[in-house]
Structures are given as structure tokens and as C-alpha cells.
Amino acid sequence: MQKHIAIITFEHDMHGLAIKKALESRDDVTCYMIEADKLCDSAGLNWSNINNLEKRSTIPSKDLGLQEVSNLDVIWWRRTNFPQQMPPHITDSIYIDVINNDCSTTLLGILFNEFSGSWVNDPTKILLADNKLIQLRAAQSAGFQIPQTLVSQNPTQIKQFCEKLENNVIVKPVKGTRQVSLFTKMLTEEHLASDASLRLCPAIYQEYIPGHQHVRAHCFGDNIYAVLIESEELDWRQNLDIPFSFFDLEESVKICLRKVLKTLGLKMGIVDLKLTEGKNPVWLEINQQGQFLFCEGLSGLDLTSAFVEFLYQEAKQVSRG
């Protein structure tokens, strides 16, 4: 039986394109690329409550034309929060806002009404799972060690927290921005110098966990593939010219990871951990649609095949059902 898998992401998404190519090597899979930032001016979004309409609920795919949503087995809801690519004559900010809002809301409405397959991941779960405060509570409940943490914009609370930890504290954004990369930093006196700055918005203040071994755990369903990253940098993402290698996580850690995903309602997630000097894993955060191809390239671990098999099994279960 043919499996139908849709990847909903932005134009030229390398992860989406790589997984689509790998899926299409299987004879019993049809894969659709839905470019969520190119819905504007596509004539592809259609929904009606008239049952005998020829095409009652469609979304536009890149190469295969309009697709009936009800035929899909799996939706990989990858990266969809990019603005629409507007025709050059649309310049009014109000028109742009209406188009962005109505395209994204219509897409979700069609899918929630008509799609009955497997989400990877369900958009309603993503809203909670992307919140780092909720992640920390879920990780702690699952049995992970988590750093002492304060999320605050209260200067007095922040200074008391930092003083308690002798300023061995890291600071990072709660949500951040897509416009620029904001890396985790060690707290400095400059950060604490201005109460006005601290009050502007909350930030995450956490106990610094010493060590140079970082683990990136790729959770695809119940299967978990971990990579060890060795870096003296606090935030290793700033320099990828460092050792990456396969890491065999203990089963007890995998059980905790599965508990976190279950609590958050996720089918997949990329988790960052840090090993203490005693080799105990400390929870940092989860990205429910984290990047993984760079870890494959730097470690040699075949994450593409692992993820394709995960999507295939999800589709297989739906088509059997």
C-alpha cells in the first residue's frame, strides 16, 4: 500500500529536501513538499463543507500540484513560521499582515479539519514544548538533573540568585529572535549593572555546569541516536571545528528522554545535555524540530536513514489503521 508523507516547511529547506529525496528512494512512498512560505498567490489553499465538491480540501505541493489533505498518512510539520513571499506589488504593511495571517491560519484550519494521520509534531503540542520553562519541569519530572534556574526580570531576584551561586551563572534568552543568533553566555558584571536593562524582559539565569562534553540526543519515536560533542566553549554552536562522535547513551537516560517526549506530546525532538565531570547527564533543553544533518556530517552517524525509517513506520501504522 502506498504511503503518503507531506513535509511542510520553507522554500529551500535543506533538511526537508534531503529527507524528501531519501523517502522517494522507496517505491511505496509518495512525498510531498509543501512550502509554507509560498502559499501566497499559489491558488492552492481550498476548503469547503460541501461534500460533493471535486476538490474539497487541498494544499499546494511543490512538484505534484494540489493535494487532498485526507489522503495524507504523515505530516512532518517542520518549520512553518516564516512570512509569506509576497508579490512585489504588495507593499502595504496591513495587506502583508492580512496575507501572512490568513495563509497560515487557513493552512492550519484545513489540516486540523481534514487530516487524520500522524503529526510529527502536532502543532498544538509544539506551542507548549517550545517553552523552555515547561521543558525544564517536564525534564525534572522525568528524572533528569537540571541546573538551578531563575527566569526573571526582577533585578533584586536576579542579583540574589547570582550572588548565591557566586556569579557562576549562564544567561540565555527565553525565546529569542530569528533575526540574529543569540548564544548562551557566562554572566558578567556588565549584565547586572543596569536594573533598567534587567527589567526590560525576562531571561533565563542558570547555574553553570562545568565540563567540556556535550551530548546531542536525536529522539525519533522510541529510537534515540546520540552524538558526543567535545568543546571548551560554553555554547559549542559558535565553532563546529570540534570533535563529534557517536555516543552510546545508557538505557536509563533513554527512558528519561522518552518520558520527556511523552509528557510534552512529541513524536520527535533534539535534546541537548551536558555531562558533568562525573559523567552524569544534565538537562539543558529540547528543540522539537532541531537541525540534525550537521551532526550526521561531523560524526558519521546516519541520521538521515534513521529519520526516514521513523517517518516510514509512522506512515505504515496509519495506512494499516
Side-chain angles (χ1 to χ4, degrees):
M1 182 179 295
Q2 198 73 6
K3 286 79 177 172
H4 299 272
I5 299 174
I7 301 171
I8 304 186
T9 189
F10 61 93
E11 186 184 23
H12 304 315
D13 173 28
M14 183 172 64
H15 281 68
L17 293 170
I19 296 303
K20 183 177 188 293
K21 181 178 180 181
L23 280 168
E24 289 175 336
S25 67
R26 303 194 177 205
D27 293 337
D28 60 342
V29 172
T30 303
C31 185
Y32 310 92
M33 182 70 77
I34 315 300
E35 296 172 326
D37 58 338
K38 294 188 68 178
L39 300 173
C40 173
D41 205 26
S42 70
L45 293 176
N46 300 280
W47 180 84
S48 175
N49 60 358
I50 303 171
N51 289 325
N52 62 356
L53 203 65
E54 181 182 358
K55 289 188 178 295
R56 194 168 71 89
S57 58
T58 64
I59 55 177
S61 68
K62 181 180 179 182
D63 301 316
L64 299 175
L66 299 185
Q67 299 303 318
E68 279 282 355
V69 173
S70 57
N71 294 334
L72 300 175
D73 298 309
V74 172
I75 289 177
W76 180 21
W77 186 258
R78 175 154 157 78
R79 295 204 165 180
T80 62
N81 56 346
F82 287 82
Q84 294 298 309
Q85 297 184 31
M86 301 286 172
H89 65 278
I90 304 295
T91 58
D92 188 295
S93 61
I94 295 177
Y95 293 170
I96 290 171
D97 196 40
V98 169
I99 291 169
N100 279 322
N101 291 338
D102 285 10
C103 283
S104 61
T105 302
T106 299
L107 175 63
L108 266 177
I110 292 172
L111 297 178
F112 281 142
N113 275 349
E114 309 299 336
F115 177 62
S116 58
S118 175
W119 287 97
V120 181
N121 288 303
D122 186 323
T124 60
K125 307 297 184 184
I126 290 171
L127 181 64
L128 295 179
D130 276 346
N131 190 302
K132 290 185 174 66
L133 284 71
I134 294 172
Q135 294 178 18
L136 285 165
R137 178 59 58 84
Q140 190 172 38
S141 298
F144 274 107
Q145 176 185 343
I146 66 172
Q148 296 181 69
T149 302
L150 174 70
V151 182
S152 180
Q153 64 182 137
N154 183 307
T156 301
Q157 294 283 340
I158 294 166
K159 290 175 183 179
Q160 288 176 352
F161 176 80
C162 295
E163 182 180 359
K164 176 185 173 184
L165 294 173
E166 298 180 340
N167 281 4
N168 286 317
V169 172
I170 63 97
V171 59
K172 60 184 179 181
V174 178
K175 177 69 175 178
T177 172
R178 282 192 171 274
Q179 297 183 35
V180 65
S181 296
L182 297 175
F183 296 109
T184 301
K185 299 289 185 182
M186 285 298 299
L187 183 88
T188 66
E189 292 295 335
E190 185 179 359
H191 288 126
L192 301 176
S194 171
D195 285 3
S197 177
L198 294 174
R199 280 196 299 265
L200 285 176
C201 73
I204 298 175
Y205 302 89
Q206 278 186 331
E207 161 194 15
Y208 168 64
I209 306 299
H212 69 280
Q213 293 188 311
H214 312 259
V215 175
R216 195 162 172 92
H218 305 80
C219 306
F220 303 151
D222 285 335
N223 295 317
I224 298 170
Y225 310 87
V227 170
L228 179 67
I229 303 165
E230 299 185 71
S231 173
E232 299 291 345
E233 297 288 339
L234 177 64
D235 193 325
W236 52 263
R237 296 173 299 168
Q238 298 178 77
N239 172 26
L240 296 181
D241 188 18
I242 49 178
F244 282 67
S245 59
F246 167 75
F247 186 72
D248 190 13
L249 276 175
E250 293 183 4
E251 186 60 31
S252 59
V253 180
K254 292 181 180 180
I255 289 171
C256 290
L257 288 168
R258 294 183 189 112
K259 285 181 179 178
V260 173
L261 263 70
K262 183 176 181 180
T263 298
L264 296 175
L266 301 178
K267 295 282 185 72
M268 70 164 287
I270 313 299
V271 176
D272 288 318
L273 308 170
K274 189 170 185 180
L275 300 183
T276 66
E277 294 175 354
K279 306 301 181 184
N280 295 319
V282 179
W283 175 273
L284 297 182
E285 63 183 52
I286 183 171
N287 185 330
Q288 62 85 27
Q289 288 297 336
Q291 311 284 54
F292 55 85
L293 289 183
F294 76 97
C295 277
E296 176 175 306
L298 293 170
S299 70
L301 185 60
D302 187 1
L303 294 170
T304 295
S305 295
F307 189 71
V308 165
E309 180 63 20
F310 159 63
L311 291 180
Y312 183 82
Q313 292 301 324
E314 287 291 312
K316 194 173 180 181
Q317 289 182 27
V318 172
S319 59
R320 281 177 177 173

